[in-house]
Amino acid sequence: MFFKYTPFFPERQNNLMTFKDKRVIVTGGTRGLGKAMALSFAREGAWVAVSYASDEKSASETEAGLKKLAARSLLLKADVSSRSEVEKMVGSVLDKWEYLDILVNNAGITRDKLLMFLDAGEWDRVMEVNLKGTYLCSKAVIKSMIARRFGRIISITSPSALTGRAGQTNYSASKGGIISFTKSLSREMARLGITVNAVCPGVISTPMTENLDDETRNDLINMIPMGKFGEPEDVTGAILFLASEKAGYITGQVLAVDGGLT
Ligand code: NAD
């Protein structure tokens, strides 16, 4: 008598499980780009912790998606711009999982306005979430990575950092800061088994870009050699590659995934 083999978790079949039991934290990992990254890591067998700021609906949907993949997962509400919340968030992951292999600094916001209308609060908030958040989260995980002589830190920057964009002085400065931060930290960590890189997505269809007016959307599409926005899943390959063992000799780099935009 033959039994038909039914995979227990069909979504996880046929994978090489490159990240089996690797422990990952993706900030802002509950929607848009971060959600796609979290699910991709989970499909490859990783334990995935995702943090978010306030969108509870996306958070519970992502948590359900991770559970469906049978991933060991943690859902953490924390403001990345707050030192105490970041320390508590990373501390709770380390308490439960002992160490972390991979940090993706993905949480980010925009507050777009021409400089003449941009108030100091909008400047500060973008710098605090995007740049200070990257510093705080990296600092919070680094000791545990150094102790094990292994780590991957990947931070999300933007084409605005490379080419500038009218209406984004605050955002482009914060994302440019992430590139400089990445390059300096990569040098501090280079002999300790920890690589530090940045990924620069182009214009990707996520909640961040869904409210663009038609004129802006068309202008952007015309600027992209491939003639279309990317999807979150277009970016995950670069993230997983840089996080993998295969990318162990790559550090201090910025990898653009932008349809040729930059
Ligand atoms: P999104 O708005 O869908 O997601 C942002 C995530 O960041 C959310 O999960 C949110 O909860 C989290 N977040 C926001 N503020 C936070 C805070 N203070 N503390 C903790 N988490 C916070 O946007 P997205 O498009 O998925 O963007 C993800 C990253 O990619 C951002 O850093 C963004 O700047 C960058 N990026 C996006 C694009 C694009 O076209 N969408 C292009 C280049 C770079």
Side-chain angles (χ1 to χ4, degrees):
M1 174 136 184
F2 294 98
F3 291 97
K4 187 169 174 280
Y5 170 66
T6 312
F8 197 58
F9 294 109
E11 295 85 349
R12 276 174 70 162
Q13 297 303 308
N14 302 323
N15 278 319
L16 294 173
M17 305 288 270
T18 311
F19 291 94
K20 191 163 176 357
D21 298 333
K22 291 281 184 201
R23 295 152 206 213
V24 185
I25 182 164
V26 181
T27 67
T30 54
R31 66 180 208 202
L33 281 164
K35 178 180 181 181
M37 293 171 203
L39 294 175
S40 297
F41 276 119
R43 270 184 215 105
E44 299 282 344
W47 303 9
V48 185
V50 287
S51 83
Y52 68 106
S54 57
D55 182 349
E56 304 288 345
K57 186 169 171 281
S58 308
S60 51
E61 284 169 8
T62 302
E63 191 179 33
L66 290 168
K67 291 226 160 78
K68 205 172 156 204
L69 290 165
R72 285 191 68 168
S73 59
L74 294 169
L75 180 66
L76 309 144
K77 185 171 183 174
D79 179 349
V80 293
S81 69
S82 155
R83 183 162 67 95
S84 59
E85 289 189 30
V86 168
E87 284 173 357
K88 198 168 149 214
M89 168 181 83
V90 172
S92 74
V93 180
L94 292 176
D95 281 349
K96 292 187 180 85
W97 290 357
E98 201 182 333
Y99 59 85
L100 276 162
D101 297 287
I102 299 156
L103 163 69
V104 185
N105 285 309
N106 166 75
I109 56 167
T110 50
R111 294 284 183 275
D112 294 356
K113 260 180 207 167
L114 296 176
L115 184 75
M116 66 177 109
F117 304 117
L118 185 70
D119 67 41
E122 291 160 329
W123 173 272
D124 287 345
R125 191 62 191 143
V126 169
M127 295 304 257
E128 280 166 13
V129 174
N130 298 2
L131 186 54
K132 187 179 175 195
T134 297
Y135 148 73
L136 288 172
C137 294
S138 304
K139 186 168 180 199
V141 301
I142 211 99
K143 272 192 195 151
S144 110
M145 290 182 175
I146 291 172
R148 296 180 62 247
R149 294 291 193 271
F150 182 86
R152 299 278 188 264
I153 296 177
I154 301 165
S155 303
I156 307 303
T157 181
S158 158
S160 297
L162 304 174
T163 62
R165 183 164 170 77
Q168 289 201 321
T169 50
N170 52 353
Y171 182 73
S172 58
S174 72
K175 294 293 186 179
I178 286 176
I179 294 176
S180 308
F181 173 87
T182 295
K183 289 190 176 285
S184 292
L185 185 60
S186 74
R187 286 170 184 266
E188 292 183 19
M189 294 297 125
R191 289 171 189 235
L192 299 169
I194 298 162
T195 66
V196 189
N197 291 290
V199 166
C200 179
V203 189
I204 311 296
S205 302
T206 70
M208 189 177 268
T209 52
E210 72 188 358
N211 293 324
L212 296 173
D213 59 64
D214 286 349
E215 194 186 344
T216 311
R217 186 172 287 274
N218 289 334
D219 285 351
L220 286 167
I221 288 174
N222 287 333
M223 285 161 59
I224 302 168
M226 287 193 181
K228 58 179 182 183
F229 285 10
E231 296 302 318
E233 291 70 25
D234 291 323
V235 182
T236 55
I239 302 287
L240 266 63
F241 169 62
L242 288 173
S244 74
E245 305 267 357
K246 291 190 168 120
Y249 199 54
I250 300 174
T251 198
Q253 302 304 304
V254 182
L255 177 52
V257 186
D258 64 1
L261 178 64
T262 56

